[in-house]
Structures are given as structure tokens and as C-alpha cells.
Amino acid sequence: MMLHWMQQTGHRPISLMGGGTGMVGDPSFKDDARQLMTIDTIESNIASIKRVFSSYLNYGEGPKDALMINNADWLRGLNYLEFLRDVGRHFSVNRMLSFDSVKTRLDREQSLSFLEFNYMILQAYDSSN
């Protein structure tokens, strides 16, 4: 609704979809590893969200039309080695292990995949784009 009111008051709202981060899975508050979704499933979910949002927002190309942006647009094209060198080096594994979302899973001896562990790095990269 905040996006709706922003648009009503003359702003251009941007809804960010997690098509890229959704391929990894957020480990927060999860007891088990999230089932990986296919790209088709993720794209279908985003289309469903856009249909719902379209009840409240006007999407289009005009200066005040809402935009729906998918982080898969920049995350899918990352070169893994460059990403690790340029972005991954700024993250401390010790710090990441201190987060409750990670610590709880490890304390309970529940699986935490390398894929899920990288979720927060992808989130941070999102914020910089």
C-alpha cells in the first residue's frame, strides 16, 4: 500500500522482485533447506505477484508509472569468480555465522547449504545496484 500511496502522490514506485535471490533461498527462520524452484516457477510467481500489485499500482513506461524490477536481471549474469573476488571478499564468515538465522540452524545441527549461506551476499549485492 505504501507503493500505492507513493504513486498517488506523484512518485514512481519500484517493486523489486527476488527472482535471483529466490533461486538460492533465504535461510532465515527456516528449519530445513528450502526446496529449489525452477526458473519457470519463479517467473510464474513473479507474474502472479504483478497481477496482484496491478490492482493497486499502474505499471507502464510513463514517468509516474510503477516499475517492477527483477534482481535476476543482474544476478544471473554474474561471473562467479569475479563476484567472489570483488564482492565476497568483503564478507566475514565469522560475522555471517553470528547471525541468528544461521546460528540457530547450526545449533540445532540442521543442514545449511553453501547455496543458502550465500543468500546474504546476494542481498548485499542487490542493495548496491
Side-chain angles (χ1 to χ4, degrees):
M1 288 310 298
M2 179 61 74
L3 295 175
H4 168 79
W5 288 113
M6 287 181 67
Q7 190 169 40
Q8 293 302 309
T9 57
H11 300 278
R12 185 173 203 183
I14 300 172
S15 47
L16 175 63
M17 296 293 107
T21 47
M23 293 180 72
V24 172
D26 181 359
S28 301
F29 312 111
K30 309 277 189 310
D31 289 339
D32 296 314
R34 181 169 141 185
Q35 292 295 318
L36 295 181
M37 295 183 283
T38 65
I39 292 173
D40 288 340
T41 299
I42 292 169
E43 289 175 356
S44 174
N45 290 346
I46 291 171
S48 295
I49 291 168
K50 188 168 188 175
R51 278 193 299 278
V52 171
F53 279 29
S54 292
S55 299
Y56 305 97
L57 298 171
N58 296 316
Y59 286 98
E61 299 299 320
K64 294 182 183 169
D65 288 337
L67 296 175
M68 182 170 277
I69 299 173
N70 184 350
N71 66 6
D73 293 343
W74 56 87
L75 292 178
R76 280 191 199 157
L78 286 177
N79 178 306
Y80 186 64
L81 293 176
E82 288 176 2
F83 179 72
L84 287 178
R85 287 175 54 94
D86 297 342
V87 178
R89 68 188 179 99
H90 297 289
F91 289 81
S92 161
V93 171
N94 295 355
R95 176 78 174 116
M96 293 168 82
L97 289 171
S98 74
F99 288 109
D100 284 337
S101 61
V102 172
K103 206 162 142 181
T104 302
R105 295 260 301 265
L106 295 176
D107 289 345
R108 293 182 188 164
E109 296 184 15
Q110 293 166 327
S111 176
L112 180 68
S113 72
F114 180 73
L115 191 63
E116 291 175 291
F117 195 68
N118 281 276
Y119 183 83
M120 60 186 78
I121 297 174
L122 293 176
Q123 274 187 316
Y125 188 77
D126 261 357
S127 298
S128 69
N129 282 313

